[in-house]
PDB file of all heavy atoms in Angstrom:
ATOM      1  N   GLU A  57      10.874  21.408   9.934  1.00 82.00           N
ATOM      2  CA  GLU A  57      11.015  21.613  11.376  1.00 82.00           C
ATOM      3  C   GLU A  57       9.691  21.416  12.098  1.00 82.00           C
ATOM      4  O   GLU A  57       8.685  21.036  11.506  1.00 82.00           O
ATOM      5  CB  GLU A  57      11.566  23.019  11.638  1.00 82.00           C
ATOM      6  CG  GLU A  57      12.946  23.243  11.050  1.00 82.00           C
ATOM      7  CD  GLU A  57      13.492  24.625  11.371  1.00 82.00           C
ATOM      8  OE1 GLU A  57      12.894  25.321  12.214  1.00 82.00           O
ATOM      9  OE2 GLU A  57      14.502  25.006  10.773  1.00 82.00           O
ATOM     10  N   GLY A  58       9.705  21.698  13.392  1.00 85.00           N
ATOM     11  CA  GLY A  58       8.506  21.527  14.199  1.00 85.00           C
ATOM     12  C   GLY A  58       7.545  22.692  14.046  1.00 85.00           C
ATOM     13  O   GLY A  58       7.733  23.578  13.220  1.00 85.00           O
ATOM     14  N   LEU A  59       6.499  22.679  14.867  1.00 92.00           N
ATOM     15  CA  LEU A  59       5.440  23.677  14.776  1.00 92.00           C
ATOM     16  C   LEU A  59       5.576  24.738  15.851  1.00 92.00           C
ATOM     17  O   LEU A  59       5.826  24.432  17.018  1.00 92.00           O
ATOM     18  CB  LEU A  59       4.081  23.004  14.898  1.00 92.00           C
ATOM     19  CG  LEU A  59       3.638  22.229  13.672  1.00 92.00           C
ATOM     20  CD1 LEU A  59       4.139  20.809  13.712  1.00 92.00           C
ATOM     21  CD2 LEU A  59       2.118  22.248  13.551  1.00 92.00           C
ATOM     22  N   ILE A  60       5.386  25.976  15.443  1.00 92.00           N
ATOM     23  CA  ILE A  60       5.468  27.114  16.354  1.00 92.00           C
ATOM     24  C   ILE A  60       4.071  27.684  16.543  1.00 92.00           C
ATOM     25  O   ILE A  60       3.392  28.023  15.567  1.00 92.00           O
ATOM     26  CB  ILE A  60       6.400  28.200  15.784  1.00 92.00           C
ATOM     27  CG1 ILE A  60       7.795  27.628  15.552  1.00 92.00           C
ATOM     28  CG2 ILE A  60       6.456  29.416  16.714  1.00 92.00           C
ATOM     29  CD1 ILE A  60       8.690  28.521  14.716  1.00 92.00           C
ATOM     30  N   PHE A  61       3.632  27.799  17.790  1.00 93.00           N
ATOM     31  CA  PHE A  61       2.317  28.346  18.089  1.00 93.00           C
ATOM     32  C   PHE A  61       2.304  29.853  17.831  1.00 93.00           C
ATOM     33  O   PHE A  61       3.202  30.579  18.259  1.00 93.00           O
ATOM     34  CB  PHE A  61       1.974  28.064  19.557  1.00 93.00           C
ATOM     35  CG  PHE A  61       0.728  28.715  20.051  1.00 93.00           C
ATOM     36  CD1 PHE A  61      -0.516  28.263  19.651  1.00 93.00           C
ATOM     37  CD2 PHE A  61       0.788  29.799  20.920  1.00 93.00           C
ATOM     38  CE1 PHE A  61      -1.678  28.856  20.123  1.00 93.00           C
ATOM     39  CE2 PHE A  61      -0.362  30.395  21.392  1.00 93.00           C
ATOM     40  CZ  PHE A  61      -1.603  29.922  20.992  1.00 93.00           C
ATOM     41  N   LEU A  62       1.280  30.324  17.113  1.00 95.00           N
ATOM     42  CA  LEU A  62       1.130  31.746  16.840  1.00 95.00           C
ATOM     43  C   LEU A  62       0.054  32.368  17.725  1.00 95.00           C
ATOM     44  O   LEU A  62       0.317  33.281  18.490  1.00 95.00           O
ATOM     45  CB  LEU A  62       0.785  31.975  15.370  1.00 95.00           C
ATOM     46  CG  LEU A  62       1.843  31.553  14.349  1.00 95.00           C
ATOM     47  CD1 LEU A  62       1.317  31.733  12.929  1.00 95.00           C
ATOM     48  CD2 LEU A  62       3.130  32.363  14.549  1.00 95.00           C
ATOM     49  N   MET A  63      -1.183  31.892  17.580  1.00 93.00           N
ATOM     50  CA  MET A  63      -2.298  32.501  18.298  1.00 93.00           C
ATOM     51  C   MET A  63      -3.441  31.533  18.494  1.00 93.00           C
ATOM     52  O   MET A  63      -3.591  30.594  17.729  1.00 93.00           O
ATOM     53  CB  MET A  63      -2.827  33.726  17.537  1.00 93.00           C
ATOM     54  CG  MET A  63      -2.022  34.986  17.794  1.00 93.00           C
ATOM     55  SD  MET A  63      -2.469  36.334  16.697  1.00 93.00           S
ATOM     56  CE  MET A  63      -1.477  35.976  15.284  1.00 93.00           C
ATOM     57  N   MET A  64      -4.248  31.817  19.515  1.00 93.00           N
ATOM     58  CA  MET A  64      -5.459  31.049  19.772  1.00 93.00           C
ATOM     59  C   MET A  64      -6.638  32.012  19.850  1.00 93.00           C
ATOM     60  O   MET A  64      -6.541  33.069  20.483  1.00 93.00           O
ATOM     61  CB  MET A  64      -5.342  30.308  21.105  1.00 93.00           C
ATOM     62  CG  MET A  64      -6.612  29.578  21.526  1.00 93.00           C
ATOM     63  SD  MET A  64      -6.420  28.862  23.163  1.00 93.00           S
ATOM     64  CE  MET A  64      -8.054  28.186  23.438  1.00 93.00           C
ATOM     65  N   LEU A  65      -7.733  31.662  19.196  1.00 93.00           N
ATOM     66  CA  LEU A  65      -8.955  32.475  19.201  1.00 93.00           C
ATOM     67  C   LEU A  65     -10.097  31.623  19.718  1.00 93.00           C
ATOM     68  O   LEU A  65     -10.221  30.450  19.356  1.00 93.00           O
ATOM     69  CB  LEU A  65      -9.268  32.969  17.784  1.00 93.00           C
ATOM     70  CG  LEU A  65      -8.166  33.745  17.083  1.00 93.00           C
ATOM     71  CD1 LEU A  65      -8.470  33.902  15.606  1.00 93.00           C
ATOM     72  CD2 LEU A  65      -8.007  35.123  17.734  1.00 93.00           C
ATOM     73  N   GLN A  66     -10.938  32.221  20.557  1.00 88.00           N
ATOM     74  CA  GLN A  66     -12.023  31.457  21.151  1.00 88.00           C
ATOM     75  C   GLN A  66     -13.394  32.083  20.939  1.00 88.00           C
ATOM     76  O   GLN A  66     -14.389  31.378  20.809  1.00 88.00           O
ATOM     77  CB  GLN A  66     -11.783  31.298  22.657  1.00 88.00           C
ATOM     78  CG  GLN A  66     -10.615  30.414  23.008  1.00 88.00           C
ATOM     79  CD  GLN A  66     -10.419  30.331  24.505  1.00 88.00           C
ATOM     80  OE1 GLN A  66      -9.903  31.259  25.127  1.00 88.00           O
ATOM     81  NE2 GLN A  66     -10.823  29.223  25.093  1.00 88.00           N
ATOM     82  N   LYS A  67     -13.464  33.398  20.925  1.00 87.00           N
ATOM     83  CA  LYS A  67     -14.768  34.049  20.883  1.00 87.00           C
ATOM     84  C   LYS A  67     -15.089  34.563  19.488  1.00 87.00           C
ATOM     85  O   LYS A  67     -14.192  35.030  18.769  1.00 87.00           O
ATOM     86  CB  LYS A  67     -14.788  35.215  21.866  1.00 87.00           C
ATOM     87  CG  LYS A  67     -14.519  34.804  23.302  1.00 87.00           C
ATOM     88  CD  LYS A  67     -14.442  36.025  24.194  1.00 87.00           C
ATOM     89  CE  LYS A  67     -14.086  35.623  25.618  1.00 87.00           C
ATOM     90  NZ  LYS A  67     -13.927  36.809  26.493  1.00 87.00           N
ATOM     91  N   GLY A  68     -16.362  34.507  19.116  1.00 89.00           N
ATOM     92  CA  GLY A  68     -16.791  35.052  17.848  1.00 89.00           C
ATOM     93  C   GLY A  68     -16.441  36.517  17.754  1.00 89.00           C
ATOM     94  O   GLY A  68     -16.702  37.266  18.692  1.00 89.00           O
ATOM     95  N   GLY A  69     -15.825  36.919  16.645  1.00 92.00           N
ATOM     96  CA  GLY A  69     -15.430  38.306  16.469  1.00 92.00           C
ATOM     97  C   GLY A  69     -14.075  38.653  17.058  1.00 92.00           C
ATOM     98  O   GLY A  69     -13.601  39.780  16.917  1.00 92.00           O
ATOM     99  N   GLU A  70     -13.439  37.687  17.684  1.00 94.00           N
ATOM    100  CA  GLU A  70     -12.156  37.951  18.345  1.00 94.00           C
ATOM    101  C   GLU A  70     -11.053  38.209  17.324  1.00 94.00           C
ATOM    102  O   GLU A  70     -11.028  37.612  16.259  1.00 94.00           O
ATOM    103  CB  GLU A  70     -11.777  36.784  19.247  1.00 94.00           C
ATOM    104  CG  GLU A  70     -10.553  37.021  20.112  1.00 94.00           C
ATOM    105  CD  GLU A  70     -10.293  35.887  21.088  1.00 94.00           C
ATOM    106  OE1 GLU A  70     -10.968  34.827  21.006  1.00 94.00           O
ATOM    107  OE2 GLU A  70      -9.399  36.047  21.957  1.00 94.00           O
TER     108      GLU A  70
END
Side-chain angles (χ1 to χ4, degrees):
Chain A
E57 298 182 11
L59 286 88
I60 301 167
F61 173 72
L62 296 175
M63 278 170 275
M64 175 185 176
L65 304 167
Q66 292 179 283
K67 301 175 184 177
E70 187 174 8

